[in-house]
Amino acid sequence: ENHRASVTVRRVGGRIAAAAQSCSREWHTSASPSPYTYTVVRSPDANAFVLPGNHVFVLTGLFKYCHNEDELASVLGHEMAHNLARHAGERMSEGLLLGIISRLSLLIDPSGLLFSILVPAQTLFSLSHSREHEIEADQVGIILASEACYDPRAAKRVFSRMKEDSEGGGKTRQTPPPEFISTHPGYDTRLSMFDSWMPSALERFERDGGNQC
């Protein structure tokens, strides 16, 4: 817990969590009352994720792309946005509904032909919905970062580095799958969306003539 990475993640995460509470009141939504906890895992993988109980995990491979606290804030903001938007609950409800539909299809068509058609369709629907969640978390994430007085423009730097690596411009090559069969939007899509959201995020970051931050 006293490792520099852990201390930094807790400090930045604490500010993002406070921003989430502030924004939830502004948006008339309810943030989870449970405090956030943070675990940093030594791993070469560049990843972070959050569990429904407000437990955030950061894998140290992420620091290859996050070089300062503004950039780390963009990632933590994204993860906390998933919980603020209750994406995990939506996925659970969606999974239950799709399961019921699949079973009903076998009652309607015991041969399983309808089931074999529905399963790929359901998979594509789930992937599309997952990408929508990721885009929403990107948007809410930079708002949370701005509210916490972290520069929202840092998010583009993180994903630009990831994109460069995926295209072979870095030391490693991590070719992503085509967007339509991926759980996440492509880098070009995300970078373009950041451009469209940035004026609003910067307005929050630079409020009161920049004095508040």
Side-chain angles (χ1 to χ4, degrees):
E1 290 190 358
N2 63 348
H3 190 283
R4 182 173 65 174
S6 299
V7 171
T8 302
V9 167
R10 282 200 306 274
R11 179 174 61 252
V12 176
R15 283 172 56 176
I16 298 291
Q21 289 288 347
S22 175
C23 287
S24 68
R25 291 191 294 270
E26 176 186 336
W27 300 331
H28 305 293
T29 59
S30 56
S32 171
S34 303
Y36 278 88
T37 53
Y38 309 91
T39 298
V40 178
V41 181
R42 189 182 301 278
S43 168
D45 295 328
N47 200 7
F49 59 92
V50 62
L51 300 181
N54 288 356
H55 195 157
V56 178
F57 289 82
V58 175
L59 279 60
T60 55
L62 189 67
F63 300 136
K64 174 182 178 180
Y65 304 105
C66 296
H67 297 172
N68 57 46
E69 294 192 11
D70 289 312
E71 294 170 2
L72 176 61
S74 71
V75 174
L76 295 182
H78 172 98
E79 298 306 330
M80 294 185 191
H82 279 304
N83 273 15
L84 195 61
R86 304 193 183 284
H87 287 160
E90 288 184 24
R91 286 195 296 270
M92 288 178 64
S93 298
E94 177 186 298
L96 288 171
L97 178 60
L98 293 178
I100 291 170
I101 292 173
S102 296
R103 283 163 177 78
L104 287 175
S105 73
L106 290 174
L107 290 174
I108 296 169
D109 176 21
S111 72
L113 178 61
L114 181 58
F115 179 82
S116 66
I117 296 172
L118 280 175
V119 169
Q122 290 172 356
T123 300
L124 289 175
F125 173 79
S126 296
L127 291 172
S128 173
H129 203 193
S130 177
R131 292 193 297 272
E132 289 174 6
H133 283 173
E134 292 300 322
I135 289 174
E136 184 178 15
D138 280 347
Q139 182 179 18
V140 175
I142 63 170
I143 292 174
L144 296 181
S146 301
E147 180 69 20
C149 290
Y150 291 107
D151 189 343
R153 291 168 291 196
K156 282 199 67 176
R157 295 197 295 270
V158 174
F159 283 103
S160 292
R161 291 183 191 120
M162 290 181 173
K163 179 176 184 287
E164 182 183 356
D165 248 10
S166 74
E167 293 175 346
K171 294 180 180 178
T172 61
R173 183 175 178 85
Q174 302 170 347
T175 304
E179 185 168 321
F180 77 96
I181 58 169
S182 175
T183 57
H184 289 61
Y187 292 122
D188 289 332
T189 298
R190 299 180 94 156
L191 291 170
S192 175
M193 296 300 289
F194 280 131
D195 286 335
S196 65
W197 301 324
M198 204 56 64
S200 177
L202 284 172
E203 183 179 354
R204 186 180 292 266
F205 178 62
E206 296 168 349
R207 59 196 181 278
D208 295 334
N211 291 325
Q212 185 158 332
C213 289

